[in-house]
Short mmCIF file of all heavy atoms in Angstrom, two decimals:
data_model
loop_
_atom_site.label_atom_id
_atom_site.label_comp_id
_atom_site.label_asym_id
_atom_site.label_seq_id
_atom_site.Cartn_x
_atom_site.Cartn_y
_atom_site.Cartn_z
N LYS A 271 -5.28 5.03 -23.87
CA LYS A 271 -3.89 4.58 -23.98
C LYS A 271 -3.26 5.26 -25.19
O LYS A 271 -3.42 4.80 -26.31
CB LYS A 271 -3.85 3.05 -24.13
CG LYS A 271 -4.55 2.31 -23.01
CD LYS A 271 -3.63 2.09 -21.82
CE LYS A 271 -4.35 1.39 -20.68
NZ LYS A 271 -5.25 2.30 -19.93
N SER A 341 -12.94 -10.00 -15.98
CA SER A 341 -14.30 -10.54 -15.96
C SER A 341 -15.16 -9.81 -14.94
O SER A 341 -16.37 -9.71 -15.10
CB SER A 341 -14.26 -12.04 -15.66
OG SER A 341 -13.75 -12.26 -14.37
N ILE A 342 -14.53 -9.29 -13.86
CA ILE A 342 -15.30 -8.56 -12.85
C ILE A 342 -15.82 -7.26 -13.44
O ILE A 342 -16.98 -6.88 -13.25
CB ILE A 342 -14.41 -8.27 -11.62
CG1 ILE A 342 -13.98 -9.57 -10.96
CG2 ILE A 342 -15.13 -7.38 -10.63
CD1 ILE A 342 -15.11 -10.36 -10.36
N GLU A 344 -16.35 -6.68 -16.63
CA GLU A 344 -17.37 -7.03 -17.61
C GLU A 344 -18.68 -7.37 -16.93
O GLU A 344 -19.74 -6.97 -17.38
CB GLU A 344 -16.90 -8.23 -18.44
CG GLU A 344 -15.84 -7.87 -19.44
CD GLU A 344 -15.57 -9.00 -20.40
OE1 GLU A 344 -15.73 -10.17 -19.97
OE2 GLU A 344 -15.18 -8.73 -21.54
N ALA A 345 -18.57 -8.11 -15.80
CA ALA A 345 -19.78 -8.50 -15.09
C ALA A 345 -20.54 -7.26 -14.65
O ALA A 345 -21.76 -7.17 -14.81
CB ALA A 345 -19.43 -9.36 -13.88
N ALA A 346 -19.82 -6.29 -14.10
CA ALA A 346 -20.47 -5.08 -13.60
C ALA A 346 -21.05 -4.28 -14.77
O ALA A 346 -22.21 -3.85 -14.73
CB ALA A 346 -19.48 -4.23 -12.82
N LEU A 347 -20.26 -4.12 -15.83
CA LEU A 347 -20.76 -3.37 -16.99
C LEU A 347 -21.95 -4.10 -17.61
O LEU A 347 -22.90 -3.49 -18.06
CB LEU A 347 -19.65 -3.21 -18.04
CG LEU A 347 -18.46 -2.35 -17.61
CD1 LEU A 347 -17.39 -2.37 -18.70
CD2 LEU A 347 -18.91 -0.92 -17.35
N GLY A 348 -21.89 -5.44 -17.59
CA GLY A 348 -22.93 -6.25 -18.20
C GLY A 348 -24.29 -6.08 -17.55
O GLY A 348 -25.32 -6.21 -18.20
N VAL A 349 -24.33 -5.80 -16.25
CA VAL A 349 -25.63 -5.58 -15.61
C VAL A 349 -25.99 -4.10 -15.62
O VAL A 349 -26.98 -3.70 -15.01
CB VAL A 349 -25.70 -6.11 -14.16
CG1 VAL A 349 -25.62 -7.61 -14.14
CG2 VAL A 349 -24.66 -5.47 -13.28
N GLY A 350 -25.18 -3.31 -16.33
CA GLY A 350 -25.58 -1.92 -16.51
C GLY A 350 -24.94 -0.95 -15.55
O GLY A 350 -25.45 0.15 -15.35
N ALA A 351 -23.85 -1.34 -14.93
CA ALA A 351 -23.13 -0.37 -14.09
C ALA A 351 -22.39 0.59 -15.00
O ALA A 351 -21.92 0.21 -16.06
CB ALA A 351 -22.16 -1.08 -13.17
N SER A 352 -22.30 1.85 -14.58
CA SER A 352 -21.50 2.80 -15.35
C SER A 352 -20.03 2.46 -15.10
O SER A 352 -19.71 1.80 -14.12
CB SER A 352 -21.79 4.23 -14.91
OG SER A 352 -21.30 4.43 -13.61
N GLN A 355 -19.11 3.25 -11.62
CA GLN A 355 -19.64 2.31 -10.63
C GLN A 355 -18.85 1.01 -10.66
O GLN A 355 -18.55 0.43 -9.61
CB GLN A 355 -21.12 2.03 -10.90
CG GLN A 355 -22.03 3.16 -10.48
CD GLN A 355 -23.45 2.96 -10.95
OE1 GLN A 355 -23.70 2.42 -12.02
NE2 GLN A 355 -24.40 3.40 -10.15
N GLN A 359 -17.19 0.31 -7.19
CA GLN A 359 -17.92 -0.66 -6.40
C GLN A 359 -17.35 -2.07 -6.53
O GLN A 359 -17.63 -2.92 -5.70
CB GLN A 359 -19.40 -0.65 -6.80
CG GLN A 359 -20.05 0.68 -6.44
CD GLN A 359 -21.44 0.83 -7.01
OE1 GLN A 359 -21.92 0.01 -7.76
NE2 GLN A 359 -22.10 1.93 -6.65
N HIS A 360 -16.58 -2.32 -7.57
CA HIS A 360 -16.09 -3.69 -7.75
C HIS A 360 -14.58 -3.79 -7.86
O HIS A 360 -13.94 -4.53 -7.14
CB HIS A 360 -16.74 -4.33 -8.98
CG HIS A 360 -18.21 -4.51 -8.82
ND1 HIS A 360 -18.73 -5.48 -8.01
CD2 HIS A 360 -19.25 -3.81 -9.29
CE1 HIS A 360 -20.05 -5.38 -8.01
NE2 HIS A 360 -20.39 -4.38 -8.77
N LEU A 364 -11.61 -4.71 -4.72
CA LEU A 364 -10.81 -5.92 -4.90
C LEU A 364 -9.32 -5.60 -4.92
O LEU A 364 -8.49 -6.40 -4.52
CB LEU A 364 -11.20 -6.62 -6.20
CG LEU A 364 -12.54 -7.35 -6.16
CD1 LEU A 364 -12.85 -7.93 -7.52
CD2 LEU A 364 -12.50 -8.44 -5.13
N TRP A 458 -12.38 -12.84 0.02
CA TRP A 458 -12.97 -13.08 -1.31
C TRP A 458 -12.93 -14.54 -1.65
O TRP A 458 -11.95 -15.18 -1.59
CB TRP A 458 -12.22 -12.27 -2.37
CG TRP A 458 -12.10 -10.85 -1.97
CD1 TRP A 458 -10.97 -10.18 -1.68
CD2 TRP A 458 -13.15 -9.92 -1.79
NE1 TRP A 458 -11.25 -8.91 -1.33
CE2 TRP A 458 -12.57 -8.72 -1.37
CE3 TRP A 458 -14.54 -10.00 -1.91
CZ2 TRP A 458 -13.33 -7.59 -1.09
CZ3 TRP A 458 -15.28 -8.88 -1.64
CH2 TRP A 458 -14.68 -7.69 -1.24
N ARG B 93 -21.17 -8.82 -28.92
CA ARG B 93 -20.80 -7.73 -28.02
C ARG B 93 -21.16 -6.36 -28.59
O ARG B 93 -21.12 -5.36 -27.88
CB ARG B 93 -19.31 -7.80 -27.70
CG ARG B 93 -18.97 -9.02 -26.83
CD ARG B 93 -17.48 -9.26 -26.79
NE ARG B 93 -16.81 -8.19 -26.09
CZ ARG B 93 -16.50 -8.24 -24.79
NH1 ARG B 93 -16.79 -9.31 -24.10
NH2 ARG B 93 -15.92 -7.25 -24.21
N MET B 98 -20.75 -3.69 -25.56
CA MET B 98 -19.62 -4.07 -24.72
C MET B 98 -18.31 -3.76 -25.42
O MET B 98 -17.26 -3.65 -24.79
CB MET B 98 -19.67 -5.57 -24.37
CG MET B 98 -20.47 -5.92 -23.14
SD MET B 98 -20.16 -4.93 -21.69
CE MET B 98 -19.14 -6.04 -20.76
N THR B 101 -15.79 -0.84 -24.52
CA THR B 101 -14.73 -0.86 -23.52
C THR B 101 -13.36 -1.12 -24.15
O THR B 101 -12.35 -0.97 -23.49
CB THR B 101 -14.99 -1.95 -22.46
OG1 THR B 101 -15.11 -3.20 -23.15
CG2 THR B 101 -16.25 -1.68 -21.69
N ASP B 103 -10.61 0.09 -26.56
CA ASP B 103 -10.26 1.41 -27.10
C ASP B 103 -10.21 1.44 -28.62
O ASP B 103 -10.72 2.36 -29.24
CB ASP B 103 -8.88 1.84 -26.56
CG ASP B 103 -9.00 2.35 -25.15
OD1 ASP B 103 -10.11 2.78 -24.79
OD2 ASP B 103 -8.00 2.32 -24.43
N VAL B 126 -25.61 2.77 -20.23
CA VAL B 126 -26.02 2.11 -18.99
C VAL B 126 -27.46 1.60 -19.12
O VAL B 126 -27.77 0.46 -18.76
CB VAL B 126 -25.87 3.10 -17.82
CG1 VAL B 126 -26.53 2.55 -16.59
CG2 VAL B 126 -24.40 3.37 -17.57
N ARG B 129 -27.60 -1.41 -21.44
CA ARG B 129 -27.14 -2.67 -20.85
C ARG B 129 -28.13 -3.19 -19.82
O ARG B 129 -28.12 -4.37 -19.48
CB ARG B 129 -25.75 -2.48 -20.23
CG ARG B 129 -24.72 -2.24 -21.32
CD ARG B 129 -23.32 -2.46 -20.85
NE ARG B 129 -22.41 -2.01 -21.90
CZ ARG B 129 -21.41 -1.16 -21.71
NH1 ARG B 129 -21.18 -0.69 -20.50
NH2 ARG B 129 -20.66 -0.79 -22.71
N PHE B 136 -21.48 -14.28 -19.56
CA PHE B 136 -20.18 -14.43 -20.19
C PHE B 136 -19.74 -15.89 -20.24
O PHE B 136 -20.32 -16.75 -19.61
CB PHE B 136 -19.14 -13.59 -19.45
CG PHE B 136 -19.44 -12.12 -19.52
CD1 PHE B 136 -20.30 -11.53 -18.61
CD2 PHE B 136 -18.89 -11.33 -20.52
CE1 PHE B 136 -20.59 -10.19 -18.68
CE2 PHE B 136 -19.18 -9.99 -20.59
CZ PHE B 136 -20.03 -9.42 -19.67
N ASN B 140 -18.68 -15.41 -13.96
CA ASN B 140 -17.95 -14.33 -13.29
C ASN B 140 -18.78 -13.67 -12.20
O ASN B 140 -19.06 -12.49 -12.27
CB ASN B 140 -17.47 -13.29 -14.30
CG ASN B 140 -18.62 -12.73 -15.12
OD1 ASN B 140 -19.75 -13.19 -15.03
ND2 ASN B 140 -18.34 -11.71 -15.90
N PRO B 141 -19.21 -14.45 -11.20
CA PRO B 141 -19.94 -13.81 -10.10
C PRO B 141 -19.04 -12.81 -9.39
O PRO B 141 -17.82 -12.98 -9.38
CB PRO B 141 -20.29 -14.98 -9.18
CG PRO B 141 -19.29 -16.02 -9.48
CD PRO B 141 -18.95 -15.86 -10.92
N PHE B 142 -19.65 -11.76 -8.84
CA PHE B 142 -18.87 -10.85 -8.02
C PHE B 142 -18.39 -11.59 -6.78
O PHE B 142 -19.10 -12.46 -6.27
CB PHE B 142 -19.71 -9.66 -7.56
CG PHE B 142 -20.26 -8.83 -8.70
CD1 PHE B 142 -21.61 -8.56 -8.79
CD2 PHE B 142 -19.40 -8.33 -9.67
CE1 PHE B 142 -22.11 -7.80 -9.83
CE2 PHE B 142 -19.90 -7.56 -10.71
CZ PHE B 142 -21.26 -7.30 -10.79
N PRO B 143 -17.21 -11.25 -6.29
CA PRO B 143 -16.76 -11.91 -5.06
C PRO B 143 -17.51 -11.38 -3.84
O PRO B 143 -16.93 -10.86 -2.91
CB PRO B 143 -15.26 -11.57 -5.01
CG PRO B 143 -15.09 -10.41 -5.91
CD PRO B 143 -16.22 -10.37 -6.86
N LYS B 144 -18.83 -11.50 -3.91
CA LYS B 144 -19.68 -11.06 -2.80
C LYS B 144 -20.68 -12.19 -2.54
O LYS B 144 -20.62 -13.23 -3.19
CB LYS B 144 -20.44 -9.80 -3.20
CG LYS B 144 -19.52 -8.64 -3.51
CD LYS B 144 -20.32 -7.40 -3.82
CE LYS B 144 -19.35 -6.24 -3.98
NZ LYS B 144 -19.98 -4.98 -4.18
N TYR B 152 -27.26 -6.49 -6.89
CA TYR B 152 -26.46 -5.36 -7.36
C TYR B 152 -27.14 -4.61 -8.52
O TYR B 152 -27.27 -3.39 -8.48
CB TYR B 152 -25.07 -5.83 -7.80
CG TYR B 152 -24.21 -4.69 -8.27
CD1 TYR B 152 -23.79 -3.72 -7.38
CD2 TYR B 152 -23.87 -4.55 -9.62
CE1 TYR B 152 -23.03 -2.65 -7.81
CE2 TYR B 152 -23.11 -3.48 -10.05
CZ TYR B 152 -22.69 -2.54 -9.15
OH TYR B 152 -21.95 -1.47 -9.57
N ILE B 156 -28.41 -0.62 -8.56
CA ILE B 156 -27.90 0.52 -9.32
C ILE B 156 -28.96 1.08 -10.26
O ILE B 156 -28.88 2.23 -10.65
CB ILE B 156 -26.61 0.18 -10.12
CG1 ILE B 156 -26.83 -0.99 -11.06
CG2 ILE B 156 -25.44 -0.09 -9.20
CD1 ILE B 156 -25.64 -1.25 -11.96
N HIS B 157 -29.98 0.28 -10.59
CA HIS B 157 -31.02 0.81 -11.46
C HIS B 157 -32.23 1.28 -10.67
O HIS B 157 -33.23 1.71 -11.24
CB HIS B 157 -31.44 -0.23 -12.49
CG HIS B 157 -30.34 -0.61 -13.43
ND1 HIS B 157 -29.78 0.29 -14.31
CD2 HIS B 157 -29.66 -1.76 -13.62
CE1 HIS B 157 -28.82 -0.31 -15.00
NE2 HIS B 157 -28.72 -1.55 -14.59
N ARG B 206 -28.48 -13.14 -12.21
CA ARG B 206 -28.07 -11.73 -12.04
C ARG B 206 -28.50 -10.90 -13.25
O ARG B 206 -28.95 -9.77 -13.11
CB ARG B 206 -26.55 -11.69 -11.89
CG ARG B 206 -25.99 -10.31 -11.66
CD ARG B 206 -24.51 -10.39 -11.42
NE ARG B 206 -23.79 -10.86 -12.60
CZ ARG B 206 -22.50 -11.17 -12.59
NH1 ARG B 206 -21.79 -11.09 -11.48
NH2 ARG B 206 -21.91 -11.58 -13.70
#
Side-chain angles (χ1 to χ4, degrees):
Chain A
K271 303 275 178 284
S341 64
I342 297 294
E344 286 190 330
L347 294 175
V349 293
S352 69
Q355 284 171 325
Q359 294 171 354
H360 295 286
L364 286 177
W458 310 114
Chain B
R93 291 166 68 95
M98 272 313 258
T101 57
D103 282 337
V126 169
R129 292 198 189 128
F136 296 86
N140 56 353
F142 299 127
K144 299 183 174 184
Y152 181 67
I156 57 174
H157 296 296
R206 182 176 65 189

